[in-house]
Amino acid sequence: MQRNKWIRTAATVALVVAAASACGSSPDPLLTNGTPVPSPTATPSGKAAPQHPAPGKKAPVLDQIKYDLESRVLAMGGGVPQQTATSCDTAEVGNTPQKFTCTVKYLGVDVPFNVETKGGFILMQYTATPTKGGVVTDEGVRARAWKQYGIYGGKAARSLRCDKVPKVRLVPLDKPSGYRCYVGEGGLKGAYDVVVTANGMRLT
């Protein structure tokens, strides 16, 4: 009688421990963080061009620089076509070296660049450095995530999620932006940082 009572007590303890373990387990954050990324009707290429005619080869150098800077900002935002406009604190670029500032306006946000030309009558060379970081956009992050992981279909596409991102905001360049996308299942399973560079966006 005493032995049977001990067995029943041990079984009860085992059940209690099992129940407590089940209650204490937490869901996989790769499956719950962020919100699902649906298949887009059209995935941006990441090489969106400004929504105005490109300047010709014989156009003023400053117009060509403005167009290039707008293309770079669009790439930072994930390649989603949007209206852009650029203003510079110089009226023209000559044959001698110059330093000036240009600011690209994109979705209401200003993205300033320090521009330095090396001069040259036949071939103009210049560098442009963002001074306040780059832009990240919600639509661009989703599009980039789908292009990088969702197009494979299967578990990766079904479990693809991204953090909620503002419509547009400035973030530091070449560093984790603070936003992530997640693949919850399959061979690509993992958390991926959204990183904006001077020439585009990537998930790493």
Side-chain angles (χ1 to χ4, degrees), residues 48 50 56 83 103 108 144 152 179 188:
Q83 292 290 342
T103 300
R144 180 65 194 179
Y152 295 106
Y179 304 106
L188 296 172

Side-chain angles (χ1 to χ4, degrees), residues 7 9 28 37 66 71 80 105 126 149 154 169 186-187 194 202:
I7 292 174
T9 302
D28 188 343
V37 177
K66 288 180 178 180
S71 299
V80 179
K105 186 172 286 294
Y126 76 94
Y149 303 110
R169 69 167 298 179
V194 177
R202 66 175 187 263

Side-chain angles (χ1 to χ4, degrees), residues 49-74:
Q51 296 183 330
H52 53 80
K57 293 182 179 179
K58 295 183 179 180
V61 172
L62 186 59
D63 290 345
Q64 298 183 48
I65 291 175
K66 288 180 178 180
Y67 191 86
D68 179 57
L69 295 181
E70 291 175 22
S71 299
R72 288 174 60 180
V73 169
L74 286 168

